[in-house]
Amino acid sequence: MVSSSDTDTKEEAVPYAVARGDGMTGGGGLPMPKSKSSDKIDAAQNSEDTDDADEDGLVRPKVGAEMPKGRPSWFRVPAPSQAKDSRYEEVKSSLSNLNLATVCEEAQCPNIGECWNGGTGTIMLLGDTCTRGCMFCAVNTASTPPPPDPFEPFKTAEAVIQWGVDYIVLTSVDRDDIEDGGAGHFAMTVQLLKEKKPEMLVECLVSDFQGNLTSVEALATSGLDVYAHNMETVERLQKFVRDSRAGYRQSLSTLEHAKKAKPGLYTKTSLMLGLGETDEEVIQTMKDLRAIDVDVVTFGQYLRPTENHLSVVEYVTPEKFDEFRRIGEEMGFKYVASGPMVRSSYKAGEFYLEHMIKKERKEAKV
């Protein structure tokens, strides 16, 4: 006979990591809703599986859905340095003094410590309030954000030069309230940076400008080196993950036009995994991207920023990320960054891109 005290002792002996879970159970998302046409066919045929909404085994994410239990062991990132003379504090102080926002802070990026300690930051232009409400993003939203600071391009150029970096990423919230979506604001910032430091490489991670190809062209021809726009997820999951004003084909069209407007311009995009996508859908997305000659793609694990955002469907294994990297390289992407903690703007990726671009341009001159 086992006493209650013996049972309590055994329960207390369970390691915390085991009790918490390893992220491999739970979650799973929700079945895809049936289309109206599918419902009509089922009703007419009175089929046996009319109550089965998941005919193809496809799932989708949802706010409030069950999360995987715990997190896998591979989620480990360096904590930001608290030393007063650290590069992290230097970057943080510079941003604060110049009243600039970064996507690192606004989107609660888990790599902020590693990137800032390495002197890399991604500056957010056009304020910190977005006109869209994507279900994966923690940035503030409003239909009518404050107007952009007309001096921001000048302050941004000043801050970047102070940092002494050779590769900078500029990004922004969506500004559907501005006629050109903020493309002119971006273009001016790029031009000021290039005037101050011509050898600096500038990447702009931008919105879809509501499909406005004139805005795309204005930025693509401004002097930037990398035109980036994130697809975010596979085609089937777009409406569950992104704001209704965004779209798979619309995003593809902007990336395609940027390359047409400025031949030789590098184009880049990123997808989050763990939202219910299938391997086949990820591979099809890569095929669609290569069809329009996108140069760089990154894959990272989706992490829920708050309980008010989409739940994680699954934690994708490092092995699966490696598989997508290998497939992408075989398809002809110039660079594929793929891993649980990879983000669209990430120090390691920027380092590789910087050297790749300089190498290719040097070879082109020979």
Side-chain angles (χ1 to χ4, degrees):
M1 179 176 179
V2 180
S3 66
S4 59
S5 60
D6 289 338
T7 303
D8 292 341
T9 302
K10 289 181 180 180
E11 288 179 351
E12 291 174 1
V14 176
Y16 169 73
V18 175
R20 180 197 63 183
D22 62 0
M24 295 294 99
T25 60
L30 297 179
M32 284 290 291
K34 280 187 178 181
S35 64
K36 292 182 179 179
S37 59
S38 171
D39 289 340
K40 289 178 180 179
I41 293 173
D42 283 343
Q45 296 179 342
N46 193 24
S47 61
E48 296 179 359
D49 61 349
T50 52
D51 60 341
D52 180 10
D54 189 18
E55 295 176 2
D56 301 316
L58 300 176
V59 297
R60 63 182 174 91
K62 190 174 189 291
V63 175
E66 179 189 5
M67 288 279 291
K69 187 178 180 182
R71 278 194 183 179
S73 60
W74 57 77
F75 278 99
R76 297 288 184 273
V77 291
S81 172
Q82 299 304 312
K84 291 183 179 180
D85 59 348
S86 70
R87 194 68 190 276
Y88 172 84
E89 288 297 328
E90 180 185 336
V91 171
K92 185 176 181 180
S93 176
S94 177
L95 289 166
S96 177
N97 292 338
L98 291 163
N99 194 31
L100 295 175
T102 68
V103 72
C104 320
E105 296 172 298
E106 299 299 332
Q108 302 176 23
C109 180
N111 299 315
I112 188 170
E114 181 181 358
C115 288
W116 283 19
N117 280 326
T120 297
T122 300
I123 293 180
M124 180 180 282
L125 302 178
L126 299 169
D128 61 1
T129 305
C130 187
T131 53
R132 298 187 187 180
C134 297
M135 299 308 296
F136 62 88
C137 184
V139 172
N140 296 328
T141 62
S143 58
T144 54
D149 176 3
F151 297 103
E152 186 177 54
F154 300 92
K155 292 192 293 183
T156 298
E158 179 184 345
V160 172
I161 297 303
Q162 283 183 13
W163 289 349
V165 295
D166 296 316
Y167 191 110
I168 187 68
V169 180
L170 305 176
T171 189
S172 78
V173 292
D174 285 284
R175 290 301 301 258
D176 296 323
D177 59 315
I178 303 174
E179 185 175 356
D180 70 350
H185 197 87
F186 264 98
M188 178 180 289
T189 306
V190 172
Q191 290 159 4
L192 288 169
L193 284 168
K194 290 291 187 175
E195 285 177 9
K196 291 177 178 290
K197 192 173 182 179
E199 70 274 19
M200 176 179 289
L201 297 179
V202 182
E203 173 182 331
C204 291
L205 172 59
V206 295
S207 73
D208 57 17
F209 299 123
Q210 300 186 78
N212 185 335
L213 299 185
T214 300
S215 293
V216 172
E217 187 164 338
L219 179 57
T221 57
S222 67
L224 83 168
D225 302 282
V226 180
Y227 188 106
H229 169 67
N230 290 343
M231 301 294 295
E232 308 296 6
T233 188
V234 299
E235 186 169 16
R236 174 178 59 87
L237 297 176
Q238 292 280 320
K239 66 180 180 181
F240 303 107
V241 175
R242 303 174 76 188
D243 185 280
S244 60
R245 285 163 285 188
Y248 188 82
R249 296 296 162 183
Q250 181 166 282
S251 288
L252 285 175
S253 72
T254 64
L255 288 165
E256 181 178 24
H257 192 72
K259 180 85 75 172
K260 288 180 178 178
K262 182 68 174 178
L265 179 66
Y266 292 87
T267 50
K268 173 184 173 184
T269 194
S270 180
L271 279 83
M272 302 173 289
L273 303 185
L275 288 164
E277 68 286 333
T278 66
D279 290 4
E280 293 76 15
E281 289 173 325
V282 175
I283 293 170
Q284 182 59 53
T285 302
M286 284 194 275
K287 290 179 179 177
D288 292 340
L289 293 169
R290 286 303 300 135
I292 58 171
D293 201 23
V294 169
D295 301 290
V296 179
V297 63
T298 71
F299 297 105
Q301 172 68 50
Y302 167 68
L303 297 176
R304 183 179 68 170
T306 75
E307 292 183 354
N308 297 320
H309 293 82
L310 293 172
S311 294
V312 175
V313 173
E314 67 171 328
Y315 288 115
V316 180
T317 66
E319 292 75 18
K320 180 60 68 175
F321 277 106
D322 283 343
E323 181 183 342
F324 288 138
R325 176 189 53 77
R326 176 184 57 78
I327 293 172
E329 289 173 349
E330 290 175 353
M331 284 186 180
F333 286 102
K334 291 185 176 180
Y335 177 57
V336 181
S338 184
M341 301 309 295
V342 168
R343 294 297 178 264
S344 54
S345 300
Y346 189 49
K347 184 182 70 174
E350 290 159 18
F351 179 80
Y352 183 93
L353 272 175
E354 177 185 348
H355 288 271
M356 180 187 76
I357 292 171
K358 288 181 177 178
K359 179 175 180 291
E360 290 191 350
R361 288 179 176 173
K362 184 178 180 180
E363 291 173 349
K365 290 181 180 179
V366 176

